[in-house]
Amino acid sequence: MSKHSESLKRTVVDRYLSGEESYASAGAADGVDAATVRKWVASYQAHGVAGLARKLSHYD
């Protein structure tokens, strides 16, 4: 299971994209570090909401 839910990721990304918060401050309230927020924002900008969804892959 993913450590962070899709809704949490979306909330943090929206906080950053509002332009009022930095990567660090957008994630600080939820215990997410700035590097992770930066990665989520880049994924969201490249792929939209689908970029924040869990990747389902299984290996034999």
Side-chain angles (χ1 to χ4, degrees):
M1 182 174 184
S2 178
K3 183 175 180 180
H4 303 289
S5 69
E6 187 176 336
S7 63
L8 172 73
K9 292 177 184 180
R10 180 64 191 260
T11 302
V12 173
V13 167
D14 287 342
R15 263 192 248 145
Y16 172 76
L17 292 177
S18 72
E20 298 175 8
E21 297 193 38
S22 65
Y23 289 118
S25 64
D30 297 304
V32 180
D33 66 313
T36 302
V37 176
R38 189 176 311 122
K39 193 169 30 173
W40 291 349
V41 169
S43 184
Y44 178 77
Q45 289 176 328
H47 305 287
V49 177
L52 301 177
R54 285 184 32 205
K55 297 355 176 233
L56 300 175
S57 61
H58 301 283
Y59 297 99
D60 292 338

